[in-house]
Amino acid sequence: MARNTLMAAIGVLAAGALLTASLGWYRVFSYVAAIFILAVVAGASTEHRGSFLEPYTGLIAGLAGMFLAGLTGIWLLWNPDVTSYTYVLGVPMPTLVYFGLLWLAPAFAAIYYSLIFDRIGGEPIVDDIIDEARDRQRDAELPLAPRKIDRTTGTDGLDGTADVEGDDD
């Protein structure tokens, strides 16, 4: 998926979230918002060449699974008409699912990725990325980069201006 397509999808998801929230479709809104969050996280890896989501594939897949499981668990367990809930660890089940799958598990996923970052983003990998970027910049014509002049120019030695015509006047 190209970067512009992903950004357009993020825009559509944002508009969908606003629409569902304004219509009061809160269950649909929660799923659209979760997909929006995942799309924004996935958008952070669009500049990487090679596999689309590398090295974040596991993180995004894990977040998607946690969000979907968490939202589904909340919407299956929670009902505004219910006044008594089943408690686990002193907390109502919908609250435990909400806290565990939408807050705690993503926080542990972030900690996990920070601990294994040396394997997915260590010094040699960062050096390779920087070298590849420099090679591509040398080969590409960038809009603000100074342009090379292919012709040879000389100076007449008097005022430092280039002798464009090549005559010695």
Side-chain angles (χ1 to χ4, degrees):
M1 181 181 298
R3 176 181 51 210
N4 292 340
T5 306
L6 180 63
M7 293 304 133
I10 289 172
V12 168
L13 286 169
L18 288 172
L19 179 68
T20 56
S22 67
L23 293 174
W25 300 345
Y26 298 115
R27 291 178 190 222
V28 176
F29 168 77
S30 64
Y31 285 100
V32 171
I35 294 168
F36 173 76
I37 291 168
L38 290 170
V40 169
V41 171
S45 65
T46 59
E47 295 300 323
H48 181 70
R49 305 276 185 212
S51 177
F52 179 59
L53 298 176
E54 282 297 327
Y56 306 108
T57 306
L59 179 63
I60 293 170
L63 285 174
M66 286 183 271
F67 279 163
L68 292 177
L71 291 173
T72 303
I74 290 168
W75 290 120
L76 289 176
L77 296 171
W78 181 79
N79 188 340
D81 298 331
V82 174
T83 56
S84 76
Y85 290 100
T86 304
Y87 286 80
V88 175
L89 301 173
V91 184
M93 279 295 291
T95 305
L96 185 64
V97 168
Y98 170 79
F99 180 71
L101 291 173
L102 297 181
W103 285 100
L104 198 57
F108 282 132
I111 292 168
Y112 170 72
Y113 267 84
S114 71
L115 293 175
I116 67 162
F117 184 75
D118 286 343
R119 284 187 261 154
I120 62 172
E123 235 10 84
I125 295 172
V126 172
D127 289 340
D128 287 343
I129 292 170
I130 290 173
D131 289 340
E132 183 181 339
R134 285 184 183 141
D135 290 342
R136 288 187 184 176
Q137 284 178 349
R138 274 189 223 110
D139 296 339
E141 195 166 311
L142 303 173
L144 297 178
R147 302 202 188 279
K148 292 181 182 176
I149 300 174
D150 292 334
R151 63 179 182 189
T152 58
T153 58
T155 59
D156 60 6
L158 299 174
D159 61 357
T161 59
D163 186 10
V164 178
E165 268 98 342
D167 57 355
D168 291 321
D169 298 344

